[in-house]
């Protein structure tokens, strides 16, 4: 056994993890003679006593988790300043998009695909519909003991995905007793109420009884918030010209350009040469509301505002069950089994389905049924716009018209995600060496069902085309026609995807060779993995005839095997200086990679620790990225730089079997100092370069480059004979590289330890990002720190795939503990950035968004036997979001859903009872 020295313990507590700064003063003030066991720390396969290694590892303790007031794992991760929404997704941001309820993490803003998520050091399965990211909400929050965040690349240890860093959730595994928890919250603005209950129970002391069973379960429900419930989010545009967003309205007429030439069979098909040219909608401010739209004073026209209908927070129900079983077969061998099953149900609401010739033209069912892919208004209709047609020189000609199916109801879709994780194996020691052999099974099963508002398009067009009872300018039709429109709704399953992974892992570690400066320690291991993906769209989805789901989606079945071998050694060079050397070789069916990692740790005096690292990494594209069927969906709202048309356009999504692995280099330098008693400061510089970046291009950027004649993009945009956009290619590609670097700051200060006034502790955790340069395939460099657009006004690709890369972001917490009372005050701060340009601007002049911060307050009382009561307020001063324009691909307006919680000021209470 080893005895832990004062500085060793202090640095471990404060910088490798820091479980409560209240222990820090004690750790600094006195020696601890308590023997400690060797433990494994995230970023290494070797167990050791001094766990403050050469890599920056941040720990979020159980006390930190409770102090955050988080009710799910995704909410907890927002407290990490190294975690960014850029490249990640949350359930609120995903409103109206095909995220299927996914919530993911993105260390350094490099994307969820480059952030490895583990539970007890073992991989989880990626989300079936995405394939590149773990749904962090599948991890039972009630079972988490603490979280270790490795803020450094670790492909040399863990293999693929660990480019940006590693988040390792450590669960409780030797708990005795029962703990009951209840939580409820209410927001000042209404909606978004959260309720949660959990239980944790454990039997047996592993050390004394040779076994332990720990089980946990929690259930929760979050209510929805809609745009109409928040003043800042209920309008898609404002009338001062600052921002502008709308969607397809009813009543926009276009010319009708049918095919008149017979095909090879001698038949003139009911097809279109082009989707026609818009001639306006003929609405005025007086009858705009009757159309279900609103008047835009800037443009002097009637437009549809989708913002009131959009989910700011979706309705979500979650249930998780987790557990572990440990049994000591003998003094050197342990049998273990651990895992969880989770069920997350997310219900998304959106505005009624839109229809236009542009959207309908991608539906192959029209050709098979020999129907015009458009709603045609005949000159004989009492609602034919005679004056408008005459003014545009098409009097007496059939016209097509856009339509929003209010009578079909708001679109409602429900995503159900069932995730399971199981690890079963043996670990222990043999002849002085530590070993671990395990089988791991992961499964993600995601199903989406259409509940309301998704029409069978051919059925709707058959009903409305050349129907003289149909009034294109009315929001709601006659009772009889409304009933028939509702009858065209498709209700049922849309898509099911299942991603399974089975793996066998083995490793052994221990002492290797005695050097003058100390013992060389080593670890070697190997793994084999089998991955299977099954995508099963419903027959309706395969037909391409369901509104809102784009073109036909075909079934997919794919699988692959992979294997790896790895080795690691900790080598003492001289006294107080050691090196950690690691190398790993991974093999996939079409690629292989060998990645080294070297780290140095030097502690010349007890108050100073210096550390540094260099390594290479890689990420093999996921099965969905490679093999997903290409399909046509719709873009977010944007303006065509050629025609000036504003709205949503068809966009091709899907996989690319020719993708190459991403490759990276990363390095870091760090300093940990204890300048005075009770104060510790850690500063870590980091730099990461990623090449062969797998990404999708922002559709607005693609349009801008194509319009400028850039040959790398002109082939990605197709237009009809009238110049209208018919499709934008947005499939996965290897597009250039990204270079990012910055500094992490961790300050922990025991301000006061007094028997009279209590203990006061201050913590500051911050991240400064000095560079985030994204280089595209044509060599264009997008400098993406603190900005949403480039110098030409194009939306940055880093932003279109997530959120802002903030220059500085920190969390500052002051906590107090006195006898049975406790309190904490937390400030969440982010620096300002440059947003998109005004909607009415003649030149692309970026608008500045100022720095933003909120305060959270929490108090606890544990004076009742076995009972702890907690009450708190998030966003204590009800700070409203800054009005922003945004360049992101999401449907909320007026604020940015990637960094502001629309619950606003939220009060909550919780109770914890232990027995």
């Amino acid at each position: 056994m080893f005895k832990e020295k004062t500085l060793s313990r202090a640095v471990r507590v404060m910088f490798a993890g820091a479980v409560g700064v209240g222990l820090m003063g004690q750790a600094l003030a006195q020696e601890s003679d308590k023997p400690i066991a060797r433990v494994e720390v995230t970023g290494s396969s070797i167990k050791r006593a001094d766990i403050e290694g050469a890599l920056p590892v941040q720990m979020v303790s159980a006390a930190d988790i409770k102090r955050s007031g988080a009710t799910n794992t995704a909410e907890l991760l927002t407290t990490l300043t190294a975690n960014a929404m850029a490249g990640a997704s949350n359930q609120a941001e995903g409103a109206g998009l095909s995220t299927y309820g996914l919530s993911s993490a993105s260390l350094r803003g490099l994307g969820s695909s480059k952030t490895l998520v583990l539970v007890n050091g073992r991989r989880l399965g990626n989300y079936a519909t995405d394939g590149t990211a773990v749904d962090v909400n599948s991890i039972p929050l009630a079972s988490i003991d603490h979280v270790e965040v490795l803020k450094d690349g670790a492909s040399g240890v863990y293999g693929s995905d660990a480019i940006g860093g590693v988040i390792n959730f450590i669960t409780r595994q030797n708990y005795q007793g029962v703990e009951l928890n209840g939580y409820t919250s209410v927001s000042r603005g209404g909606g978004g109420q959260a309720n949660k209950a959990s239980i944790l129970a454990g039997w047996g002391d592993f050390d004394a009884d040779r076994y332990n069973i720990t089980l946990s379960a929690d259930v929760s429900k979050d209510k929805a918030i809609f745009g109409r419930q928040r003043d800042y989010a209920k309008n898609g545009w404002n009338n001062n010209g600052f921002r502008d967003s709308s969607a397809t309205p009813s009543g926009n007429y276009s010319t009708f350009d049918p095919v008149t030439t017979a095909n090879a069979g001698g038949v003139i098909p009911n097809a279109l040469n082009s989707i026609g040219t818009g001639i306006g909608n003929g609405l005025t401010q007086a009858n705009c509301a009757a159309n279900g739209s609103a008047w835009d004073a800037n443009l002097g026209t009637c437009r549809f505002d989708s913002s009131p209908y959009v989910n700011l927070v979706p309705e979500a129900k979650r249930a998780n069950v987790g557990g572990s079983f440990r049994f000591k077969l003998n003094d050197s061998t342990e049998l273990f089994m651990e895992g969880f099953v989770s069920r997350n149900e997310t219900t998304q609401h959106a505005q009624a389905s839109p229809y236009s010739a542009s959207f309908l033209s991608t539906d192959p069912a029209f050709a098979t049924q020999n129907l015009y892919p458009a709603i045609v208004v005949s000159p004989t209709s009492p609602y034919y716009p005679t004056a408008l047609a005459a003014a545009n020189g098409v009097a007496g000609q059939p016209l097509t018209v856009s339509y929003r199916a209010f009578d079909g109801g708001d679109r409602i879709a429900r995503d159900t995600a069932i995730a399971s994780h199981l690890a079963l194996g043996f670990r222990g020691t043999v002849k002085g060496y530590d070993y671990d052999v395990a089988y791991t099974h992961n499964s993600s099963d995601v199903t989406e069902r259409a509940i309301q508002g998704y029409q069978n398009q051919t059925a709707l067009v058959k009903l409305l085309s050349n129907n003289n009872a149909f009034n294109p300018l009315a929001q709601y039709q006659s009772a009889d026609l409304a009933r028939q429109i509702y009858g065209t709704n498709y209700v049922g399953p849309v898509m099911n995807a299942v991603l399974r992974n089975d793996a066998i892992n083995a490793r052994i570690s221990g002492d290797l060779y005695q050097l003058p400066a100390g013992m060389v320690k080593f670890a070697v291991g190997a793994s084999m993995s089998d991955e299977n993906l099954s995508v099963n769209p419903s027959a309706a989805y395969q037909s391409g005839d369901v509104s809102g789901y784009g073109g036909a989606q075909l079934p997919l079945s794919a699988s692959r095997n992979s294997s790896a071998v790895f080795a690691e050694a900790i080598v003492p060079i001289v006294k107080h200086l050691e090196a950690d050397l690691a190398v790993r070789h991974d093999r996939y069916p079409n690629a292989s990679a060998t990645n080294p990692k070297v780290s140095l740790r030097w502690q010349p005096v007890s108050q100073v620790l210096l550390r540094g690292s260099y390594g290479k990494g890689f990420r093999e594209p996921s099965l969905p990225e490679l093999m997903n069927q290409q399909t046509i969906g719709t873009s977010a709202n944007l303006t065509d730089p050629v025609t000036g048309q504003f709205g949503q356009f068809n966009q091709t999504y899907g996989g690319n079997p020719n993708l190459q692995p991403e490759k990276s280099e990363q390095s870091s330098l760090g300093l940990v100092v204890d300048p005075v008693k009770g104060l510790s400061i850690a500063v870590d510089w980091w730099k990461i370069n990623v090449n062969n970046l797998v990404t999708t291009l922002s559709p607005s950027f693609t349009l801008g480059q194509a319009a400028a004649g850039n040959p790398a993009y002109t082939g990605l945009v197709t237009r009809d004979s009238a110049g209208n956009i018919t499709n934008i290619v947005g499939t996965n590609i290897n597009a250039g590289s990204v270079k990012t670097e910055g500094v992490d700051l961790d300050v922990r200060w025991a301000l006061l330890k007094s028997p009279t006034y209590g203990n006061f502790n201050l913590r500051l955790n911050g991240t400064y990002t000095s560079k985030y340069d994204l280089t595209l395939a044509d060599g264009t460099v997008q400098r993406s720190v603190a900005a949403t657009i480039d110098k030409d006004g194009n939306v940055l690709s880093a932003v279109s795939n997530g959120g802002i890369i903030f220059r500085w972001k920190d969390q500052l917490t002051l906590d107090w503990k006195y006898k049975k009372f406790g309190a904490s005050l937390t400030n969440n701060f982010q620096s300002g950035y440059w947003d998109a340009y005004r909607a009415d601007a003649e030149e692309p002049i970026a608008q500045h968004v100022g720095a933003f911060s909120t305060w959270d307050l929490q108090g606890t009382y544990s004076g009742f036997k076995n009972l702890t009561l907690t009450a708190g307020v998030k966003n204590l001063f009800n700070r409203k979001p800054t009005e922003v324009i945004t360049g992101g691909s999401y449907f909320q307006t007026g604020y940015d859903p990637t960094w502001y919680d629309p619950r606003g000021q939220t009060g909550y209470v919780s109770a914890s009872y232990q027995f």
Side-chain angles (χ1 to χ4, degrees):
M1 299 294 287
F2 296 81
K3 288 189 177 181
E4 191 174 18
K5 296 181 180 180
T6 302
L7 248 294
S8 171
R9 185 178 183 185
V11 176
R12 170 173 63 86
V13 171
M14 291 179 290
F15 301 111
V19 291
V21 179
L23 296 176
M24 181 176 64
Q26 178 182 354
L28 287 168
Q30 63 183 27
E31 288 281 334
S32 172
D33 294 327
K34 181 181 178 180
I36 62 170
R38 293 178 299 175
V39 295
E40 181 182 328
V41 181
T42 303
S44 176
S45 298
I46 299 175
K47 291 185 176 182
R48 55 184 295 169
D50 293 330
I51 67 173
E52 72 287 359
L55 300 175
V57 179
Q58 177 186 354
M59 183 186 291
V60 181
S61 69
D64 294 330
I65 295 172
K66 291 182 179 179
R67 191 180 297 114
S68 72
T71 60
N72 56 69
T73 311
E75 189 177 353
L76 171 65
L77 293 183
T78 62
T79 64
L80 302 177
T81 60
N83 182 46
M85 278 310 303
S89 63
N90 60 37
Q91 291 181 329
E93 178 192 351
L97 303 174
S98 297
T99 62
Y100 299 98
L102 171 66
S103 292
S104 59
S106 174
L107 290 176
R108 308 301 187 201
L110 290 173
S112 52
S113 65
K114 286 172 276 296
T115 299
L116 180 61
V117 178
L118 308 174
V119 168
N120 297 324
R122 304 184 191 279
R123 284 176 172 266
L124 296 181
N126 288 337
Y127 207 59
T129 55
D130 176 86
T132 68
V134 169
D135 180 23
V136 294
N137 275 336
S138 68
I139 303 170
L141 187 62
S143 68
I144 296 173
D145 180 75
H146 65 277
V147 185
E148 295 178 359
V149 183
L150 172 62
K151 297 184 285 188
D152 194 74
S155 290
V157 176
Y158 297 110
S160 182
D161 306 348
I163 289 175
V166 181
I167 302 176
N168 189 8
F169 294 89
I170 310 299
T171 62
R172 303 190 193 189
Q173 295 194 349
N174 193 27
Y175 182 79
Q176 296 96 43
V178 178
E179 179 180 320
L180 302 174
N181 291 278
Y183 174 100
T184 187
S185 71
V186 60
S187 66
R188 180 173 178 175
Q193 181 178 358
N195 294 289
K196 180 178 180 179
S198 67
I199 182 172
L200 176 70
W203 300 267
D205 185 317
F206 181 73
D207 296 318
D209 302 324
R210 304 178 68 89
Y211 81 95
N212 176 262
I213 300 172
T214 300
L215 300 175
S216 70
D218 61 65
V219 294
S220 64
K221 181 178 180 180
D222 297 344
K223 292 186 178 181
I225 300 176
F226 292 89
R228 56 182 173 270
Q229 294 177 279
R230 297 292 185 267
D231 288 340
Y232 53 80
K234 67 181 181 181
N235 295 312
W237 64 85
N238 56 19
N239 287 324
N240 64 10
F242 180 71
R243 56 183 176 84
D244 183 3
S245 177
S246 68
T248 306
S250 293
N252 274 353
Y253 292 97
S254 297
T255 58
F256 188 58
D257 187 17
V259 172
T260 58
T261 304
N263 59 24
V267 177
I268 298 177
N270 288 326
L272 299 177
N273 283 314
S274 78
I275 59 175
T277 302
I279 63 173
N281 58 30
L283 291 167
T284 65
Q285 188 171 2
N287 61 4
C288 195
N291 171 262
S293 298
W295 184 254
D296 186 334
N298 297 307
L299 301 180
T301 188
C302 191
R303 308 170 71 190
F304 175 69
D305 188 351
S306 61
S307 296
Y309 305 91
V310 172
N311 272 152
L312 307 186
V313 173
E315 177 184 326
K317 299 178 182 178
R318 303 182 183 94
N320 302 280
V321 177
S324 69
F325 170 70
R326 302 173 64 194
F327 181 72
K328 189 178 293 187
L329 297 175
N330 54 50
D331 290 341
S332 60
T333 306
E334 173 191 342
L335 167 68
F336 69 90
M337 180 172 63
E338 61 191 36
F340 63 82
V341 177
S342 69
R343 185 181 189 276
N344 293 336
E345 182 181 282
T346 307
T347 303
Q348 292 280 11
H349 291 247
Q351 63 273 18
S353 291
Y355 293 90
S356 68
S358 175
F359 292 159
L360 296 171
S361 63
T362 63
D363 184 348
F366 282 93
T368 60
Q369 297 186 39
N370 199 26
L371 291 172
Y372 285 123
I375 299 174
V376 180
V377 178
S378 167
T380 62
S381 169
Y383 306 107
Y384 182 81
T386 303
L388 186 65
N392 286 273
V394 291
Q397 297 181 17
L399 300 172
T400 66
V401 69
S402 65
Y403 169 63
R404 191 166 287 273
F406 289 99
D407 287 310
D410 291 350
R411 280 176 285 182
I412 305 174
R414 182 165 297 137
D415 298 306
T416 303
I418 299 174
S420 61
H421 170 73
L422 172 67
L424 173 66
F426 298 90
R427 60 191 168 207
T429 60
V430 55
K431 295 185 177 181
Y433 296 102
D434 298 312
Y435 75 90
D436 185 306
V437 179
Y439 160 75
T440 305
H441 171 77
N442 290 297
S443 174
S444 172
D445 187 323
V446 182
T447 300
E448 178 159 296
R449 291 183 60 87
I451 307 301
Q452 177 186 277
Y454 296 90
Q455 290 82 41
N456 287 287
Q457 296 185 143
T458 53
L460 185 76
V461 170
K462 282 181 182 179
L463 174 66
L464 300 182
S465 260
N466 295 307
N467 184 341
N468 289 351
F470 170 57
N471 181 0
L473 300 185
Q475 180 176 8
Y476 297 105
Q477 305 298 314
S478 66
D480 182 60
L481 186 55
R483 178 184 55 78
Q484 296 178 67
I485 291 171
Y486 194 86
T488 66
N489 280 350
Y490 170 74
V491 178
V494 175
M495 194 273 296
N496 170 256
V498 179
L499 183 61
R500 294 188 176 92
N501 184 284
D502 295 275
I504 297 177
N505 302 272
R507 64 185 174 188
I508 188 167
S509 64
D511 296 341
L512 181 63
Y513 185 76
Q514 181 69 43
L515 293 177
M519 180 64 70
V520 177
K521 300 178 184 298
F522 82 99
V524 294
S527 67
M528 294 184 295
S529 178
D530 179 69
E531 189 176 9
N532 293 273
L533 172 66
S534 176
V535 179
N536 302 293
S538 66
Y541 196 6
Q542 292 185 50
S543 73
D545 196 34
V546 179
S547 64
Y549 284 99
Q553 175 71 49
L554 300 178
L556 170 66
S557 179
S559 63
R560 68 180 176 190
N561 298 316
S562 61
S563 60
V565 292
F566 59 89
E568 183 183 357
I570 297 177
V571 182
I573 301 173
V574 295
K575 188 177 181 180
H576 306 308
L577 174 63
E578 68 179 27
D580 189 335
L581 310 173
V583 64
R584 181 181 174 110
H585 178 79
D586 289 83
R587 181 177 295 276
Y588 287 82
N590 299 315
S592 62
T594 300
N595 294 282
K597 177 90 176 191
V598 57
S599 306
L600 295 173
R601 176 187 181 277
W602 183 39
Q603 191 170 353
V605 295
S606 59
Q607 292 85 10
V608 178
L609 171 68
L610 291 93
R611 57 193 178 197
S613 70
Y614 171 81
K616 292 188 175 182
F618 88 109
R619 187 183 75 86
E620 175 70 6
S622 69
L623 279 176
E625 284 178 315
L626 292 165
M627 307 303 297
N628 264 353
Q629 301 285 350
Q630 294 187 0
T631 186
I632 297 176
T634 56
S635 71
N637 291 309
L638 50 90
T639 300
D640 180 359
V642 174
T643 65
Q645 181 183 358
F646 180 87
Q648 297 170 258
F649 301 94
N650 295 318
Q651 183 174 3
T652 299
Y653 300 89
N656 180 353
N658 298 317
L659 291 176
Q660 299 298 309
E662 297 176 328
K663 297 182 179 181
S664 69
E665 283 187 288
Q666 59 273 338
S667 52
S668 66
L669 289 172
L671 172 66
V672 182
V673 295
D674 294 340
V676 296
K677 181 180 178 179
L679 173 64
S680 291
I681 303 170
V683 181
D684 287 280
W685 168 85
W686 48 268
K687 180 180 180 180
I688 304 173
N689 297 338
V690 185
N691 296 310
N692 284 345
L693 194 68
V694 176
T695 187
T696 57
L697 298 176
S698 160
S700 61
F701 180 82
T702 299
L703 288 177
Q705 292 296 309
N710 189 328
Y713 300 90
T714 52
L716 301 180
V717 180
T718 55
R719 300 177 181 273
D720 63 21
S721 58
N724 300 297
I725 295 173
T726 56
N727 191 49
I728 306 168
V729 176
T731 54
N732 298 322
I733 59 172
N734 287 107
S737 64
V738 62
K739 297 180 179 180
T740 182
E741 64 179 284
V743 175
D744 290 328
L745 177 64
D746 190 349
V747 179
R748 298 176 181 263
W749 189 9
L751 293 170
L752 177 67
K753 184 178 181 182
S754 167
T756 304
Y757 302 106
N759 297 340
F760 291 84
N761 300 289
L762 188 70
R763 298 190 308 277
L764 172 65
N765 185 263
T767 297
Y768 179 86
T769 304
S770 58
K771 176 189 288 187
Y772 194 104
D773 291 351
L774 182 64
T775 302
L776 303 181
D778 65 341
T780 300
V781 178
Q782 296 184 334
R783 306 194 189 283
S784 306
V785 176
T788 66
I789 59 173
D790 63 16
K791 59 183 178 59
D792 298 318
N794 298 306
V795 175
L796 299 172
S797 293
V799 175
S800 69
N801 292 325
I804 311 300
I805 307 292
F806 292 104
R807 181 79 63 185
W808 171 255
K809 185 177 180 182
D810 74 64
Q811 186 176 74
L812 176 66
T813 299
L814 174 67
D815 67 67
W816 167 74
K817 179 70 175 176
Y818 178 69
K819 295 181 179 180
K820 303 297 183 180
F821 296 90
S824 65
L825 180 65
T826 300
N827 176 254
N828 307 286
F829 177 86
Q830 64 195 33
S831 57
Y833 62 93
W834 293 95
D835 200 6
Y837 55 90
R838 293 178 61 97
D840 59 0
E842 297 182 0
E843 297 182 1
I845 301 175
Q847 302 297 302
H848 189 258
V849 176
F852 190 84
S853 71
T854 58
W855 293 87
D856 302 332
L857 178 66
Q858 184 185 88
T860 62
Y861 178 71
S862 55
F864 301 108
K865 183 179 180 180
N866 300 331
L867 178 66
T868 300
L869 301 176
T870 302
V873 180
K874 300 178 184 179
N875 195 348
L876 179 63
F877 302 107
N878 197 30
R879 181 80 185 273
K880 299 295 195 300
T882 305
E883 184 178 27
V884 295
I885 302 165
T886 81
S889 56
Y890 29 81
F891 287 91
Q892 293 90 340
T893 57
Y895 78 107
D896 192 321
T898 65
W899 61 258
Y900 183 80
D901 185 347
R903 294 176 182 87
Q905 187 183 73
T906 302
Y908 63 90
V909 294
S910 67
S912 176
Y913 185 79
Q914 294 178 311
F915 58 92

